[in-house]
Amino acid sequence: MRPPAPSRTRARSAAALVAAAALALTGLTACSSSSSSDDGAQAGPPPKLTVWIMRDSVSDGFLQRFKADYESTHAGTALDIQIQEWDGIGQKITSALASKDAPDVVEVGNTQVAQYAASGGVQDLSGKVGDLQGADWIPGLAEPGKIDGKQYGIPWYAANRVVIYHKDLFAQAGITTPPKTREEWLADTAKLNTGGNDGIYLTGQTWYALAGFIWDEGGDLAAKGSDGTWKGALDTPQAKAGMEFYQKLQALGSGPKDSDEAKPLQAEVFAKGKSAQVISTPGGAAAILKANPALKDKLGFFPIPGKTAAKPGAVFTGGSDLVIPESSKHQAAAYEVVKALAGEKWQTEMAKEMSYVPNRTSLAGVLSGNEGASAMAAGAVNGHATPNSPNWAAVEANNPIKQYMTQVLTGADPQSAGKTATESITKALNSTS
């Protein structure tokens, strides 16, 4: 799934402040390697690797520099980097994985890895995790590429939400330091919710934020049982506690209870200057400034607060992974491309150019000069993924989580609403159609 952005669930951000994070996982199984062509032993012309990259994931300049550097340092290998459109990409990748002439490296949405892995057309890269220094990966970025204990995906970059705040409104309320805990956050937001201002603009269906609060309580949206079946988890005490906090926070503003952050666009609401805070990717600042350039230099960023000051709040990590199709004719060479893109040099280059969070915790310092990206990097250490099921897309299609949230916020019994949502999630995740 693409990183959350103001204009689409997993979309690019509109500006240089966009922040996201990168990540990688890898490994060729002995079986996969033996069934593919041995690049080193091939005679004739050097291999030409086809690499599918999604539009706007990275800049043209970045791709040009990577291609030139890679080809100069890997004599005998040429890269054919092809830009793909997000619209319709699911069917295109599914067809490619089933073919005998698939690309060698493919960028996919991170929540789609389970679906593609289930098809049997993606290589198990578990054996290469150590080679890629996987122990240093940001946990929330690594999770989506790991299915049933096997590493298929290389979450290449990702984004998570932070709090964007109006510095002038904070100063007027006498708040000099952003909150570090949930209780401080509620207290500060109450102070900001005066004089015709909203303490926070938070809609009733910002479900990624709710997921973070549930994770903080030790819960989840769904869990996989020992028998391999999935069960929704919105009827648990942990989900109830997360929703109770969401309800308290949402009440300190005038956001609609029956819609999400796209209806109306929350960046345009915030741009009116009366909202003190909004939960968004850092890239949301670009959309705010586009709507109201007068807010330039008045926007600040901080990680979503956690239950204690020792750890930021949990956040959903969305983004893209790199996978190697089983039918790639150059699997060993394809892995080398993945290794380069996931390595320190190009992770650092990408972080600086795109304001993305690097995939390794040890590289977070490269964003020290970018306030929005730094806040996101700080929050990324507590990143999480949606349930790793091939059917998760079916849950999002009708999204009973949103329905549950609106019901609770408008007075429904949380336990009853949670039970209904849990049943819907369970049915979707266990569907075989």
Side-chain angles (χ1 to χ4, degrees), residues 60 228 255:
D60 290 341

Side-chain angles (χ1 to χ4, degrees), residues 173-185:
I175 303 170
T176 58
T177 305
K180 294 281 184 67
T181 69
R182 278 192 187 180
E183 292 306 312
E184 291 175 359
W185 195 15

Side-chain angles (χ1 to χ4, degrees), residues 189-200:
T189 304
K191 292 179 184 177
L192 293 159
N193 194 37
T194 58
N197 295 324
D198 268 354
I200 187 169

Side-chain angles (χ1 to χ4, degrees), residues 165-176 188 191-200 270 272-277 295 298:
Y165 71 98
H166 193 311
K167 292 180 178 179
D168 286 359
L169 297 185
F170 266 58
Q172 291 169 20
I175 303 170
T176 58
D188 286 349
K191 292 179 184 177
L192 293 159
N193 194 37
T194 58
N197 295 324
D198 268 354
I200 187 169
F270 189 90
K272 295 177 181 178
K274 304 297 287 183
S275 300
Q277 305 171 88
L295 290 178
K298 296 183 179 182

